[in-house]
Amino acid sequence: MINTNEVCDSLIKNGWYSGSNIFDRNFVQEAVKEFNSKDLKEAGIGATAIRQESIRNDEIYWFEPEHNSVIENKYIEAINRLKSSLNESLYLGLNGHEVHYAKYEKGGFYKPHLDNVKGKNNRVLTIITYLNENWKKEDGGVLKLHLENEVKEIEPKAGNVVIFLSEKVLHEVAPSNKTRQSLTGWLLHK
Ligand code: OGA
Ligand code: NI
């Protein structure tokens, strides 16, 4: 479970939050099983979604209500709970969300970037849940948050969650040495 008080405090203080074992093994395994079987699309950059393999080379699968997926709905419920409590305590006026499953194959990366889509700019918070069991240091693929005075590294271990201000925190995915899976979403102010 996401501890929303902890998330609020950390976002106010630092502009980012990370926690481990937020989602349990059962959820992680169900998610991997479901999304592994999907027809993934090569991820693009910006509003026109042009594929630029020099910047990112992951593949994604967007959540859609029409999928009527138990696992998607479970995750969206958690996202919506977080959205409501952030609105109550931080008055963020969050009124939308978008979520996709992402998969980086061996050698995958995402160069330093901010998460706003040019001409849209409606992403307020980025929330990522990692799905990689038995992830080891040598597997690479860390998320690097480029903060004012340090670079914070977050390992993409199963159940880990990271949340940060989409337009403020420059971040990147370091090259991954094996398949790396996550659920990446944004809380929006439309
Ligand atoms: C993104 C992103 C980071 C990660 O999809 O915009 O920065 O750790 N992902 O998967
Ligand atoms: Ni990003």
Side-chain angles (χ1 to χ4, degrees), residues 104 110-111 113-115 123 126 128 143 164 166 169 171-173 184 186:
Y104 294 78
Y110 197 157
K111 290 280 168 74
H113 65 280
L114 298 171
D115 278 351
R123 291 173 168 175
T126 304
I128 306 171
L143 171 69
F164 55 86
S166 307
V169 179
H171 58 282
E172 70 179 298
V173 177
T184 300
W186 292 273

Side-chain angles (χ1 to χ4, degrees), residues 4-162:
T4 47
N5 286 335
E6 236 177 83
V7 173
C8 287
D9 290 350
S10 188
L11 286 177
I12 291 170
K13 223 169 120 212
N14 309 312
W16 63 278
Y17 157 90
S18 84
S20 45
N21 298 313
I22 305 298
F23 289 93
D24 60 24
R25 260 191 103 193
N26 188 43
F27 176 85
V28 167
Q29 288 177 348
E30 292 279 312
V32 166
K33 197 161 67 184
E34 172 145 344
F35 299 119
N36 244 328
S37 68
K38 299 298 179 194
D39 190 14
L40 306 184
K41 297 258 179 303
E42 295 177 340
I45 310 278
T48 50
I50 297 163
R51 175 88 167 160
Q52 276 189 274
E53 292 208 14
S54 56
I55 298 175
R56 73 187 289 189
N57 51 11
D58 56 328
E59 295 190 310
I60 60 176
Y61 173 82
W62 287 100
F63 283 25
E64 303 285 355
E66 301 81 65
H67 293 160
N68 288 317
S69 150
V70 173
I71 201 86
E72 283 186 30
N73 291 345
K74 214 188 250 186
Y75 192 68
I76 295 294
E77 247 173 60
I79 293 277
N80 274 331
R81 270 199 303 273
L82 176 67
K83 194 196 296 169
S84 302
S85 26
L86 290 176
N87 280 341
E88 274 170 34
S89 38
L90 302 182
Y91 307 104
L92 285 177
L94 302 165
N95 55 6
H97 61 258
E98 51 190 3
V99 177
H100 65 56
Y101 163 77
K103 184 171 176 176
Y104 294 78
E105 296 295 358
K106 186 175 190 300
F109 60 85
Y110 197 157
K111 290 280 168 74
H113 65 280
L114 298 171
D115 278 351
N116 45 18
V117 179
K118 276 210 182 72
K120 249 175 143 188
N121 278 9
N122 58 357
R123 291 173 168 175
V124 179
L125 288 171
T126 304
I127 168 163
I128 306 171
T129 296
Y130 296 104
L131 304 174
N132 310 293
E133 294 196 287
N134 307 314
W135 196 263
K136 298 185 194 66
K137 218 173 170 63
E138 60 266 29
D139 296 329
V142 292
L143 171 69
K144 292 186 180 179
L145 302 180
H146 294 270
L147 307 170
E148 224 162 277
N149 299 312
E150 61 168 329
V151 177
K152 173 81 191 163
E153 296 194 351
I154 291 148
E155 288 191 298
K157 283 188 177 157
N160 281 4
V161 169
V162 58

